[in-house]
């Protein structure tokens, strides 16, 4: 049976012009109900204009943060995303379902693995949770992230990602790909497509030593990435 729990909005941060992160307050009673794995999501519910509106959003915080935060990007015509970005305020109550989802990873402090992720736009949300968890809980593992955004101002969680890069310079590589802003390198200008992915797989990633690949973003990008990396020999699992 589907069950929702009322949670209070504790903090709202304007991450970009069209995206907010929403931190939900947990107490002793609800904290155990909202234990989650990195990469999982929660479903939010709110009655808006007499309509029962439900939307699922990936958790961007990591379990180690001991907080429950999601990012909500404004979608044109989106009822819930418009409400979250323009009307929702600290102290408001949302009905929230317990975490779920298989887009996650089991971590082992003694492991030495190489992770790769390709994300675009708000697809960074679950990846950030996984990324932070890997870097903090698997000290011998590495992470390479290819992240597509419109321009520098639309890089969601830019500060958090840069902070992780500074803390783990030898284990974390980030490549920002901007579709509407030229950074000086043609490879990192435009959308993440099959041609770019071919170069990424050949020049920037050792596919033979990649233990897991996380893909989150537009369907076409995900399908292209799957095809390219599988052709390069990455196990479908």
């Amino acid at each position: 049976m589907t069950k929702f729990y009322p949670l209070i909005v504790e903090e709202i941060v304007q991450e970009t012009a069209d995206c907010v992160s929403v931190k939900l307050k947990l107490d002793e009673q609800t904290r155990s109900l909202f234990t989650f794995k990195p990469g999982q999501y929660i479903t939010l519910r709110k009655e808006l204009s007499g309509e029962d509106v439900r939307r699922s959003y990936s958790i961007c915080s990591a379990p180690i943060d001991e907080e429950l935060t999601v990012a909500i990007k404004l979608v044109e015509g989106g009822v819930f995303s418009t409400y979250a970005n323009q009307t929702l305020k600290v102290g408001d109550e949302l009905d929230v379902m317990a975490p779920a989802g298989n887009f996650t990873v089991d971590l082992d402090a003694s492991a030495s693995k190489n992770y790769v992720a390709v994300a675009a736009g708000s697809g960074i949300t679950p990846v950030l949770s996984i990324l932070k968890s890997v870097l903090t809980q698997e000290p011998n593992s590495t992470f390479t992230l290819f992240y597509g955004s419109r321009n520098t101002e639309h890089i969601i969680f830019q500060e958090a990602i840069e902070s992780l890069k500074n803390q783990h310079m030898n284990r974390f590589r980030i490549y920002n790909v901007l579709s509407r802003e030229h950074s000086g390198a043609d490879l990192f200008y435009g959308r993440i497509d099959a041609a770019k992915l071919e170069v990424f797989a050949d020049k920037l990633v050792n596919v033979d030593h990649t233990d897991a690949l996380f893909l989150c973003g537009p369907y076409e990008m995900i399908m292209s990435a799957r095809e390219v990396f599988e052709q390069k020999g990455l196990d479908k699992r």
Side-chain angles (χ1 to χ4, degrees), residues 16 28 90 179-180:
T16 65
E28 291 184 9
V90 172
S179 62
R180 299 185 188 179

Side-chain angles (χ1 to χ4, degrees), residues 27 35 49 54 104 119 125-126 168 204-205 212 222 232:
D27 55 28
T35 299
S49 301
R54 306 179 184 194
T104 185
T125 307
H168 308 279
L204 300 177
V205 174
I222 290 175
K232 300 297 180 181

Side-chain angles (χ1 to χ4, degrees), residues 118-153:
V118 182
S122 57
I124 189 62
T125 307
V127 172
L128 178 63
S129 180
I130 295 169
L131 164 63
K132 187 171 186 178
S133 297
V134 167
L135 293 176
T136 55
Q137 294 180 244
E138 286 190 359
N140 297 314
S141 293
T142 68
F143 206 108
T144 300
L145 170 62
F146 300 96
Y147 180 26
S149 304
R150 191 182 310 168
N151 53 39
T152 304
E153 292 182 353

